[in-house]
Amino acid sequence: MEASKSEGQVKGKSGSCWTGLLKAPTEQDIRGPRRRHKAFDTPKKAFDYLVVLDFEWTADNKPGFGPAEIIEFPSVLVRTKFPFEIVDEFQVYVRPEVHPILTPFIKHLTGISQDQVDRGVDLGTALDMYHSWLASQKLVYCDLDREANVAAITNKIPEKHLSTSSEARPTAPCTERMNTISTAGAITDMDMQDNVDKTNTNSNNCTETVSILPCPSPSTSCSRFVPVRPSFSFSHPVSFAVVTWGDSDVQTTLNLQLSRLNLCRPPYFDSWINLKPLFKQHFKREPRGGLENVVKSLGLEFEGRAHSGLIDSRNTAKIVQTMLQQGFQFWRTTRGFGISGEFYGQKKRAKYN
């Protein structure tokens, strides 16, 4: 009886049975941490365009073949805004140097003939053509003036790699270069009058010869290519990212070949989106059985011959379009090279947060 009375007195005095044991929980302890209002979060900005690519390169089914060399350089440009259509395509065949004669294995696998690569261009020219194609889509500067160089790439390239040498290699005006590309068959449906902006008088409009800076060092980003083209409003820059089905296209094949040839890596190849882990994240399953099986697993038709670079790029773009239609947003790259050339990003885990 006394014990009960004492207990009641203690309980009544404090209003809680926690007295003498633990500190009474506060309202915040019971409610838990307050969640931040999403309305105040800075929204993630998705890329305006995605450039889907799938290289084809030399190989053999026998060991000891040697270094891989790109023989087909294709891309498909996808707009990320509704209706998520394919805007344009690019394709050029590249002439291999270490193994100029294609093996029967690779000819059978890709359908690329010896005549096609013999009439192709070297990799450096292919990169110039590719950059001019991106410029025709108003994604990059057509060529480089020195002020644009400093403004556009200072944050990507160490200052010691930015050159102001007067010995820069001159190039033809952009209109002339683009007409040459169109004649070569890489871009056949381009109207130069519509694609080249001639309203200004500086070198950004590609109407006069400009200088290209020399390559700073092998396999580093080069100030020769300006990756970002400001939009007319300047407040909403046009942004794009390279998309691949795996990492081998850019991480190993392109990067190693650029190193061997002492060519610069354009900054838009500094990082890219590996679509495979994002496919797994979005569809909640592994992308098994190769690209053709993955496309068919989505109820889509795989159009064309597998292992053709342009065909594979088109079908990879179908996966991208399906994800966009279902609300997926591509807002950052998943893999890339750091300032000092180190590789970053995880192959199997690229979840967007």
Side-chain angles (χ1 to χ4, degrees), residues 158-231:
E159 186 175 353
K160 63 181 180 181
H161 288 163
L162 296 177
S163 171
T164 56
S165 170
S166 60
E167 299 177 357
R169 178 168 65 87
T171 63
C174 182
T175 50
E176 178 182 336
R177 290 168 59 219
M178 289 300 293
N179 284 326
T180 302
I181 293 169
S182 182
T183 304
I187 306 174
T188 58
D189 58 351
M190 182 176 299
D191 185 347
M192 289 304 303
Q193 299 302 320
D194 293 336
N195 285 293
V196 179
D197 181 8
K198 297 183 178 180
T199 59
N200 299 319
T201 57
N202 60 27
S203 59
N204 282 344
N205 62 16
C206 307
T207 59
E208 61 186 60
T209 302
V210 295
S211 294
I212 287 181
L213 301 185
C215 181
S217 61
S219 192
T220 60
S221 295
C222 187
S223 53
R224 170 179 180 179
F225 302 96
V226 181
V228 180
R229 178 192 184 278
S231 67

Side-chain angles (χ1 to χ4, degrees), residues 241-276:
V242 170
V243 178
T244 61
W245 187 250
D247 291 317
S248 56
D249 295 86
V250 179
Q251 178 189 352
T252 53
T253 306
L254 177 63
N255 193 52
L256 293 178
Q257 189 171 0
L258 292 177
S259 295
R260 288 195 305 270
L261 298 176
N262 194 28
L263 293 174
C264 303
R265 184 178 64 244
Y268 34 82
F269 287 125
D270 281 352
S271 62
W272 61 95
I273 295 173
N274 181 350
L275 191 60
K276 285 185 178 180

Side-chain angles (χ1 to χ4, degrees), residues 123-142:
L123 183 59
T125 302
L127 288 170
D128 285 341
M129 295 166 69
Y130 191 70
H131 188 83
S132 294
W133 172 68
L134 292 174
S136 75
Q137 304 302 320
K138 302 188 183 300
L139 299 179
V140 297
Y141 288 103
C142 193

Side-chain angles (χ1 to χ4, degrees), residues 10-11 13-22:
V10 172
K11 186 173 181 179
K13 183 179 179 180
S14 62
S16 170
C17 62
W18 291 85
T19 303
L21 298 176
L22 296 173

